Amino acid sequence: MLLDRTIAELQTLLSSKEISARELVEEAYVSIEKHNNALSAFITVREKKDALRDADAADNSPSRGPLSGIPFCLKDAYVTKDLRTTAGSAVLDTFIPPYSATVAERLLAGGAILIGKNNMDAWGHGSTSENTDYGAVRNPWNLGRVAGGSSGGSAAAVAARMAAFAIGEDTGGSIRAPASMCNVTGLKVTYGRLSRYGAIAYASSLDTVGPMAKSAEDLALVLAAVAGADPRDATSSRREVHAYHRLLEKPLAGTRIGVPKEFLAEELSGEVRRAVDEAIRTYTSLGATIISVSIPSLSFAVPIYYLIATSETSSNLNRYDGVRFGNGRERFTEETMRRIVVGTYALKAGYHDELYTRATKGRTLLIREFDALWSSCDMLLGPTMPDVPYKLGALTEDPVKMYLADIFTVPVNLTGLPSLALPAGFSDDNLPIGVQLIGKKFDEESLLAAGAAYQRATKWHKKEPAL
Amino acid sequence: MRSITPEEVQEVARLAGLHVPPEKLAGFAKGITAIVAYMEEIKKLPVETVPETARLTEESNVWREDTVTESLSQKEVFQNGTHAEGYFVVPAVLKHK
């Protein structure tokens, strides 16, 4: 399929007119027709004629950018003008936004073709894309398994060739978890690297906007096109955006990769451990030095995260009053109501200091512990998930069990660091396993270069699900 | 371990503008007790002298020029409410005598 190729390869074919954007869009819609019923990757698919019209405009445009004519999809957490946006929740089932998110505007201005809005855990509340009012997203590698969350629909859509890339959102692992469970590559950026304007907020000090695609090379192209300061997001960084896609050849020799010993704890399943060990061997063969390091407070990361995230979400979700937009609050799912209640409780007079404030202090401890590692390491390597993709329903009965699945992802959001999730192998049952490379703030270029080097040496990311 | 009662859940839910159906209250209380009990692990953290982290951004005081810019039209503002012809109906705040 054309959509098996990298974005750069597609752009070369488009520029020389060997293929047309129309053909790419047609291919995307064929994949959707064939597989979306089984996968539930999309909540809203644009009318094909509208996408084709955009494709023709891209084909006839005199100026082309790197993403011109490339089909993409957006997690349904990003508002799109005049196109329904639900955040995965019945509360916004009929919501038609009057404006578009910055990331959407930048991609459309670059000529990329929007295919539709992806299914997700409502409001970002989940790690499996089962907490959705639109049917759980199924894993393209095994329909009885979850696709990961909360950006599960985006991961499934990329894996199933329904688009060349997607924009997901990562607050506690919501890009990295589904990327690893669906065998795609996903980037959680440094907090502030990419504008959150128009991203429906879950937890404002943790939310990040990021790309998902089949390779680090693809992510670098997308990131370069959308990153950078936005006056409409006061937390967006004014730091320079680099041409990440031109910095992927940096050799790995001498790179110091830390492996936190707490990341190899007993919670890790044997199969995931084997994949991480294999990744360590690959990086060693590429010339990196592996160093054992420690994050002593790692076991507190999940409670710290959930206290802060639920408190922030209880505040952010106040705006859904069913008056100016949306349906009534009785339409929230049980899990969302639980998070709002827990967050409200943690902020209540009497409990505020011992719960919420304490968590924000614990966050400082974690930040210090990660900061201390950069004198001896250039980046860190570890698993994304403690286990292979879960069976549907395995985690939904026990919220604490679900939260514990985030043990390796949430510390990265608490500290604001970037992290790249890479396909790293398969279980005996052919279920995808991923690893993550965690970097210094605003050092996406080192992560993407290290990811590209890994993907030149391995073939995991090229494997396709048998749909 | 503190046990959160169904009455407490109902009160906190009321503060958050949520209504938990009576038949679900007991289940909710149980689930929330388990979650809060787990989160109370943070009491073991040695943070007496550690400052809070309120935000991650390096930026501060991001200003814009005090000029009039484009805004949403009235039509756009009302389009997602129940009365798109030009008003919102809000829940009563004051009681009529």
Side-chain angles (χ1 to χ4, degrees):
Chain A
M1 290 185 76
L2 290 170
L3 286 170
D4 290 337
R5 308 228 190 181
T6 69
I7 297 175
E9 285 171 345
L10 290 175
Q11 195 53 248
T12 304
L13 294 171
L14 285 167
S15 302
S16 64
K17 305 272 183 221
E18 269 181 74
I19 62 169
S20 65
R22 183 168 260 266
E23 280 174 76
L24 285 179
V25 169
E26 293 274 11
E27 211 183 70
Y29 278 84
V30 166
S31 297
I32 291 170
E33 266 157 52
K34 281 190 180 157
H35 306 302
N36 194 47
N37 276 346
L39 298 178
S40 295
F42 284 87
I43 294 176
T44 302
V45 180
R46 281 181 82 208
E47 294 272 354
K48 187 161 131 178
K49 60 174 171 54
D50 294 335
L52 287 173
R53 194 190 53 234
D54 293 344
D56 291 338
D59 282 330
N60 297 325
S61 171
S63 68
R64 306 192 65 88
L67 298 178
S68 205
I70 305 291
F72 77 104
C73 46
L74 293 166
K75 183 180 192 179
D76 209 15
Y78 296 103
V79 292
T80 40
K81 190 175 196 311
D82 300 332
L83 182 65
R84 178 175 79 147
T85 301
T86 67
S89 173
V91 168
L92 290 181
D93 184 55
T94 49
F95 177 59
I96 311 285
Y99 72 108
S100 289
T102 294
V103 66
E105 283 186 343
R106 288 181 178 178
L107 288 169
L108 295 172
I113 315 291
L114 178 63
I115 302 297
K117 312 300 291 299
N118 296 126
N119 201 354
M120 54 183 281
D121 283 300
W123 317 105
H125 295 164
S127 316
T128 59
S129 298
E130 293 173 286
N131 183 31
T132 163
D133 285 320
Y134 297 92
V137 180
R138 307 300 173 111
N139 193 313
W141 296 81
N142 182 321
L143 299 179
R145 303 268 173 164
V146 300
S150 55
S151 312
S154 298
V158 169
R161 279 51 176 163
M162 297 172 177
F165 69 95
I167 303 294
E169 187 261 333
D170 192 312
T171 301
S174 290
I175 284 177
R176 293 163 287 154
S180 289
M181 294 204 216
C182 293
N183 202 58
V184 301
T185 309
L187 178 66
K188 180 227 169 272
V189 298
T190 309
Y191 183 86
R193 178 71 291 180
L194 232 167
S195 170
R196 289 180 301 113
Y197 182 77
I200 292 176
Y202 161 11
S204 308
S205 79
L206 296 159
D207 290 347
T208 60
V209 174
M212 304 170 75
K214 298 188 301 299
S215 65
E217 189 196 318
D218 282 353
L219 298 182
L221 252 173
V222 177
L223 184 65
V226 294
D230 179 10
R232 297 177 299 182
D233 173 0
T235 63
S236 67
S237 174
R238 286 181 272 206
R239 289 204 195 198
E240 203 193 322
V241 176
H242 297 145
Y244 304 104
H245 50 299
R246 288 203 274 271
L247 300 166
L248 297 171
E249 301 294 322
K250 186 170 150 184
L252 231 51
T255 302
R256 303 162 304 166
I257 300 183
V259 179
K261 66 177 183 12
E262 293 83 5
F263 273 21
L264 303 177
E266 327 88 60
E267 293 99 34
L268 206 54
S269 88
E271 291 186 290
V272 176
R273 176 70 196 253
R274 276 196 292 283
V276 174
D277 287 341
E278 172 82 27
I280 291 173
R281 278 194 293 276
T282 302
Y283 272 110
T284 306
S285 75
L286 289 169
T289 310
I290 309 292
I291 303 166
S292 179
V293 296
S294 175
I295 305 167
S297 302
L298 188 82
S299 62
F300 293 100
V302 171
I304 292 170
Y305 167 83
Y306 273 99
L307 275 167
I308 294 175
T310 55
S311 297
E312 291 187 7
T313 212
S314 73
S315 174
N316 279 328
L317 267 52
N318 276 343
R319 72 196 65 180
Y320 304 104
D321 52 19
V323 173
R324 295 159 299 151
F325 46 79
N327 299 309
R329 292 169 76 76
E330 72 283 352
R331 306 287 297 267
F332 282 132
T333 63
E334 260 189 54
E335 175 59 24
T336 290
M337 286 209 225
R338 224 179 341 254
R339 292 189 189 210
I340 293 174
V341 169
V342 169
T344 306
Y345 186 83
L347 290 170
K348 229 173 153 240
Y351 302 125
H352 183 282
D353 285 341
E354 68 181 72
L355 292 175
Y356 176 76
T357 303
R358 207 176 185 92
T360 63
K361 294 181 177 190
R363 188 173 190 177
T364 306
L365 270 186
L366 273 173
I367 290 171
R368 288 177 178 175
E369 287 177 14
F370 271 86
D371 278 346
L373 300 176
W374 305 128
S375 55
S376 57
C377 303
D378 301 306
M379 56 188 73
L380 309 173
L381 173 65
T384 32
M385 307 303 298
D387 209 342
V388 301
Y390 305 94
K391 290 190 178 146
L392 286 154
L395 298 179
T396 49
E397 294 307 304
D398 185 347
V400 174
K401 201 162 155 222
M402 171 87 75
Y403 299 168
L404 285 167
D406 295 337
I407 176 69
F408 303 124
T409 47
V410 298
V412 181
N413 302 85
L414 288 169
T415 51
L417 301 172
S419 175
L420 177 65
L422 297 162
F426 291 83
S427 71
D428 295 334
D429 291 336
N430 202 39
L431 296 169
I433 300 170
V435 294
Q436 58 175 330
L437 280 175
I438 302 167
K440 289 181 268 207
K441 280 200 179 180
F442 298 103
D443 197 14
E444 279 81 356
E445 73 192 63
S446 296
L447 295 183
L448 290 164
Y454 180 76
Q455 290 181 336
R456 286 191 290 273
T458 60
K459 298 275 165 285
W460 308 120
H461 64 295
K462 293 211 179 281
K463 211 170 143 183
E464 248 187 277
L467 280 162
Chain B
M1 186 196 89
R2 177 206 341 245
S3 188
I4 295 159
T5 64
E7 291 70 41
E8 264 189 284
V9 170
Q10 194 162 58
E11 172 60 10
V12 173
R14 188 189 67 81
L15 289 172
L18 293 176
H19 171 70
V20 181
E23 68 274 13
K24 300 223 164 177
L25 266 178
F28 250 79
K30 196 154 158 269
I32 287 165
T33 296
I35 294 169
V36 174
Y38 171 63
M39 298 205 287
E40 285 184 322
E41 281 286 296
I42 59 158
K43 288 191 170 158
K44 298 180 191 158
L45 276 171
V47 291
E48 284 65 35
T49 55
V50 178
E52 302 159 43
T53 290
R55 67 214 179 97
L56 295 174
T57 182
E58 308 170 309
E59 310 294 325
S60 62
N61 296 340
V62 179
W63 301 105
R64 69 172 179 88
E65 286 305 307
D66 186 15
T67 52
V68 175
T69 52
E70 273 202 36
S71 167
L72 294 177
S73 68
Q74 285 201 352
K75 180 164 172 289
E76 285 169 322
V77 166
F78 291 116
Q79 76 187 20
N80 285 294
T82 47
H83 291 80
E85 58 277 23
Y87 57 96
F88 295 121
V89 175
V90 303
V93 176
L94 304 171
K95 286 199 173 77
H96 253 293
K97 272 257 162 85

